[in-house]
Amino acid sequence: MNLHEYQAKELLKKYNVPVQEGFACGTVHEAEEAYRQIKTQYASNFAVVKAQIHAGGRGKGTVKETGINGVKVGKNLDDVIEIAKKLLGGTLVTIQTGPAGKVVNKILVAQDMYYDGVSDRKEFYLSILLDRSTGQNVIMYSTEGGMNIEDVAHDTPDKIFKEWVHPSGGLQGFQARKIAFNLGLSGEAFKNCTKFVTNLYNAYVGLDCSMLEINPLFKAADNKIVAVDCKMNLDDNALMRHADLASLRDTTEEDPTEVEAGKYNLNFVKLDGNVGCMVNGAGLAMATMDMIKLSGGEPANFLDVGGTANAQTVEAGFKIILKDPAVKAILINIFGGIVRCDRVAQGVIDAYKNLGNIKIPIIVRLQGTNAVEAKKLIDESGLKVQSAILLSEAADLVKKAVA
Amino acid sequence: MSILVNKNSKILVQGFTGTEGTFHATQMIEYGTNVVGGVTPGKGGSVHLDKPVFNTVADCVKTTGADVSIIFVPPAFAADAIMEAADAGIKLVVCITEGIPVQDMVKVKNYLLGKNTRLIGPNCPGVITAGECKVGIMPGFVFIPGRIGIVSKSGTLTYEAADQVAKAGLGISTAVGIGGDPIIGTPTKDAVELLMNDPETDAIVMIGEIGGGMEAEAARWIKETGNKKPVVGFIAGQTAPPGRRMGHAGAIVGGAEDTAEAKMKIMTECGIHVVKSPADIGKKMAEVIKK
């Protein structure tokens, strides 16, 4: 589950991780109020206004309707109001959103961290994630902050450091110090950095994050170390033990069809093709998508109906796939093990009849327990459904349907 | 004698009296698997499916001599169940449970270091030695006894492969569903290595998915050890977009090297017979075996 920057920062504060402070606003009026607060609290005329969407590259992205960038510095109240007006309700297109962009429902009006002081300002990069190859958490960091880390990894791999954390011992003091040294810090900033890293790791574990990225990790001119931006990804499997976190989910950021599929316990991912598919099992679902492509079509979705393919789930699956006008054919591929194929076939027939007028070809491939009986049921149903038992037969039928 | 499990294996079921545990234990017993008992904390002393129920894994091992455990415990308690089985000296733990938090598995992986316990899964269909012993949730009838081993991240794709192998006139020695999570007990390479060293396996089907580097690691090991047995490979997710989780928690393209394309290239370079279409697994195996 992805969180917004403002949500992630609130959570970090609970773990005593210093962040760039600010207020999440849904209206221009709220933004005005937020600016006033920031001005008094931090004695600065400047405030940073940041669009809150689930995608990176906001600073360089632009709002379609108004042409404004997703992150802007407001120099006074009028400026902030102007920026808020241009951001709220607009569609922000960034390198990560795709051409459709995402609607900005909230903005974060935040303190300006780029004030002058006793030392130079610096931007670093730091993230914590799972290293699958070792089965350990790893802290990845770099002196090159504020930019795309993939580019840094590609151009200057020697500027990326990694620190693995022992699963039972946790992050040790010497490791936090090593990170601060490698970032070139000393004195007050060094001490602040070790505290920051230690607390951030506690937040990562305590919140069951699957990824926590601070970019930039900022050293202010008064030697404070703060998270200016934060990308937090929570482990969906762990939400059962974080009831408070589950409520932070923003479904307006997700594909509405995917949200609806979730209500039926269907695992659905929308794609841009012309052949819909409904499959039991994630691996077989991906394999079926690959087969559609090899047969000359393009998969319109990933849909795993799980271990219980019955009339209800099949009908819900049909409805969700048929919402997409680009779909020219549907392939149902079920390998019946514990699930009996004749029951799934009956489910398909019932769902088909309930939905009435399906205009596109439906190909049903049922293999496994009672596959022959299932094929017979489909063939004798009088419906315009083509049936197959072998995967290669289903591939041929898809080829014909998209030809 | 195949690998991991055979007709002499003594199986205990953790989460024995629950819905899933009951259903699948019944299926396993029908297949001929030697289920010796089960564990459900608090229900020790009772009898379920004509087998004794124990409060702890240690009690069950002491009384029944069980050496293999299969876990049907809900995700919140599954990590604990794996560690309990390891602590009781179980040699092979098969964890079916889907949806275990990743940080729990970080702990489990570390706990198992230095212990004489092999973990299969979690989030997997289990292990089956065709005609002898089924420790999992797979449909047993699909696995016709023979001399082809299967290693797969995916459940239904394992059944698909076994079915195609049978349709090609061949059969299965042992099929191992290693699981689709980011952290699993037995990675592809370890399972492949077991089958390479098994005198009753002539060739291997290796099925992977996008995400992670396990298939590349296995492929390189196969090449380094001299391609002792032919391997037919398939990677699911050639059409999956980057950054989107495709069902399995581990099935997500992160970098350039965990795409299906990159994995298939490495596997081909390492002498594995890679098929592009999942419909060609059985056909390819028949061709390779004839050579």
Side-chain angles (χ1 to χ4, degrees):
Chain A
M1 184 175 93
N2 286 322
L3 295 185
H4 285 295
E5 176 194 357
Y6 77 90
Q7 296 170 320
K9 282 179 168 175
E10 285 306 311
L11 292 171
L12 289 186
K13 280 161 75 176
K14 291 184 184 163
Y15 286 86
N16 296 318
V17 176
V19 301
Q20 172 201 38
E21 298 280 350
F23 302 90
C25 310
T27 64
V28 176
H29 178 73
E30 281 172 15
E32 215 179 308
E33 203 45 49
Y35 176 79
R36 287 206 176 92
Q37 292 244 23
I38 282 170
K39 193 177 169 176
T40 14
Q41 256 175 294
Y42 304 103
S44 162
N45 283 324
F46 288 15
V48 190
V49 187
K50 305 161 109 177
Q52 299 293 292
I53 58 165
H54 284 182
R58 293 171 299 165
K60 285 186 184 130
T62 48
V63 171
K64 262 188 204 174
E65 296 84 354
T66 57
I68 196 173
N69 291 125
V71 178
K72 278 296 248 194
V73 177
K75 298 189 173 86
N76 51 51
L77 180 60
D78 290 344
D79 217 13
V80 168
I81 291 172
E82 187 63 22
I83 296 167
K85 275 183 185 162
K86 284 184 175 170
L87 283 176
L88 281 167
T91 314
L92 181 57
V93 180
T94 80
I95 196 165
Q96 289 183 10
T97 59
K102 289 200 165 197
V103 175
V104 181
N105 292 316
K106 269 203 162 65
I107 51 175
L108 180 65
V109 179
Q111 68 175 132
D112 173 34
M113 297 302 305
Y114 291 70
Y115 46 79
D116 292 325
V118 293
S119 62
D120 290 341
R121 296 181 290 255
K122 285 219 171 77
E123 291 188 340
F124 307 119
Y125 171 93
L126 191 143
S127 64
I128 314 177
L129 65 164
L130 174 77
D131 177 1
R132 286 165 65 148
S133 60
T134 59
Q136 294 184 349
N137 297 310
V138 61
I139 301 179
M140 199 163 84
Y141 61 103
S142 173
T143 49
E144 308 303 296
M147 49 177 97
N148 189 344
I149 196 67
E150 273 93 25
D151 294 342
V152 179
H154 184 264
D155 301 337
T156 47
D158 53 310
K159 287 188 173 161
I160 296 201
F161 301 94
K162 285 178 179 175
E163 192 67 31
W164 281 268
V165 183
H166 194 275
S168 62
L171 183 73
Q172 301 303 314
F174 78 90
Q175 294 183 295
R177 291 197 297 276
K178 188 158 117 195
I179 291 169
F181 280 129
N182 281 338
L183 291 175
L185 297 171
S186 58
E188 201 57 33
F190 173 88
K191 276 187 215 158
N192 288 333
C193 183
T194 57
K195 259 185 255 166
F196 183 99
V197 172
T198 307
N199 293 347
L200 191 77
Y201 186 77
N202 290 340
Y204 171 84
V205 174
L207 297 165
D208 273 302
C209 296
S210 48
M211 207 271 303
L212 180 50
E213 182 182 71
I214 309 293
N215 189 22
L217 169 68
F218 191 70
K219 187 191 90 66
D222 56 0
N223 290 322
K224 279 189 182 132
I225 300 287
V226 290
V228 166
D229 193 6
C230 174
K231 196 169 155 192
M232 190 185 280
N233 214 308
L234 301 178
D235 179 359
D236 293 300
N237 290 344
L239 288 176
M240 59 183 175
R241 56 187 175 210
H242 301 285
D244 52 327
L245 298 183
S247 65
L248 296 177
R249 182 169 174 197
D250 182 357
T251 49
T252 64
E253 286 284 334
E254 298 168 30
D255 184 289
T257 325
E258 292 178 19
V259 175
E260 198 191 323
K263 289 181 194 156
Y264 297 98
N265 282 324
L266 300 174
N267 207 329
F268 178 85
V269 178
K270 173 85 193 72
L271 302 167
D272 293 327
N274 56 4
V275 180
C277 58
M278 201 186 317
V279 189
N280 65 334
L284 189 60
M286 279 189 277
T288 304
M289 285 159 50
D290 298 343
M291 203 186 71
I292 288 170
K293 171 104 176 174
L294 289 168
S295 303
E298 285 287 338
N301 66 277
F302 166 94
L303 175 53
D304 174 12
V305 297
T308 50
N310 55 33
Q312 283 84 19
T313 48
V314 171
E315 188 174 332
F318 262 136
K319 280 186 185 157
I320 284 160
I321 294 173
L322 288 169
K323 274 188 184 165
D324 182 353
V327 172
K328 300 286 175 259
I330 298 179
L331 168 62
I332 299 178
N333 184 13
I334 305 287
F335 200 106
I338 308 303
V339 189
R340 279 169 45 190
C341 288
D342 52 335
R343 289 218 183 128
V344 179
Q346 195 56 52
V348 172
I349 294 165
D350 292 350
Y352 197 103
K353 284 182 179 161
N354 280 345
L355 291 171
N357 202 6
I358 298 178
K359 293 199 176 70
I360 55 172
I362 309 277
I363 300 152
V364 181
R365 184 267 179 155
L366 293 164
Q367 172 65 300
T369 317
N370 295 359
V372 177
E373 290 87 337
K375 187 171 190 314
K376 199 163 164 245
L377 269 176
I378 301 257
D379 291 345
E380 289 172 358
S381 68
L383 303 175
K384 276 197 283 179
V385 178
Q386 298 161 289
S387 64
I389 290 184
L390 295 179
L391 199 51
S392 50
E393 293 167 0
D396 289 340
L397 290 172
V398 171
K399 214 174 271 178
K400 274 180 208 149
V402 294
Chain B
M1 79 144 267
S2 313
I3 62 164
L4 298 171
V5 293
N6 58 40
K7 55 182 183 300
N8 299 319
S9 303
K10 291 179 179 174
I11 321 297
L12 78 86
V13 181
Q14 287 177 263
F16 189 35
T17 56
T19 316
E20 294 283 305
T22 303
F23 179 79
H24 290 292
T26 309
Q27 300 271 323
M28 281 160 55
I29 294 165
E30 275 175 23
Y31 190 80
T33 305
N34 184 19
V35 174
V36 295
V39 173
T40 299
K43 292 199 176 165
S46 61
V47 172
H48 185 63
L49 307 178
D50 296 326
K51 313 283 176 193
V53 182
F54 300 86
N55 283 327
T56 68
V57 177
D59 286 351
C60 185
V61 169
K62 208 165 128 194
T63 312
T64 64
D67 53 4
V68 175
S69 166
I70 182 165
I71 296 178
F72 292 103
V73 169
F77 314 105
D80 179 70
I82 297 170
M83 293 188 276
E84 183 185 352
D87 181 65
I90 294 284
K91 300 278 185 303
L92 180 71
V93 179
V94 178
C95 184
I96 305 298
T97 310
E98 179 179 357
I100 303 178
V102 174
Q103 295 303 328
D104 289 8
M105 283 309 299
V106 169
K107 279 187 205 136
V108 167
K109 180 125 188 157
N110 182 56
Y111 186 88
L112 294 180
L113 287 177
K115 287 211 160 48
N116 191 20
T117 297
R118 174 180 292 286
L119 170 67
I120 303 283
N123 190 13
C124 78
V127 182
I128 184 167
T129 291
E132 289 193 34
C133 180
K134 167 177 130 157
V135 185
I137 59 171
M138 62 289 276
F141 71 92
V142 181
F143 297 82
I144 308 294
R147 301 183 62 87
I148 310 294
I150 300 180
V151 175
S152 169
K153 264 190 194 173
S154 141
T156 38
L157 208 43
T158 311
Y159 319 157
E160 179 68 46
D163 187 57
Q164 287 184 28
V165 165
K167 295 263 185 327
L170 301 161
I172 304 302
S173 53
T174 303
V176 188
I178 58 171
D181 275 1
I183 297 184
I184 54 172
T186 301
T188 313
K189 187 227 126 194
D190 292 12
V192 167
E193 186 173 352
L194 291 171
L195 288 168
M196 282 287 184
N197 295 330
D198 172 33
E200 298 196 347
T201 297
D202 293 339
I204 300 166
V205 177
M206 176 175 134
I207 298 171
E209 283 174 3
I210 50 166
M214 292 197 312
E215 294 85 359
E217 184 202 18
R220 291 191 180 108
W221 179 86
I222 289 168
K223 192 182 177 194
E224 278 161 22
T225 50
N227 298 73
K228 283 190 290 182
K229 294 174 186 175
V231 180
V232 171
F234 173 74
I235 300 288
Q238 297 161 48
T239 49
R244 300 298 306 270
R245 168 176 160 172
M246 308 303 276
H248 286 158
I252 179 163
V253 172
E257 293 193 342
D258 58 4
T259 63
E261 203 191 344
K263 292 188 188 198
M264 287 160 73
K265 187 167 174 276
I266 293 167
M267 284 160 63
T268 307
E269 284 165 4
C270 292
I272 293 171
H273 305 273
V274 178
V275 291
K276 275 190 171 174
S277 167
D280 296 339
I281 297 170
K283 205 170 70 183
K284 184 56 114 183
M285 182 52 87
E287 267 175 48
V288 168
I289 280 281
K290 270 184 201 135
K291 276 181 193 165

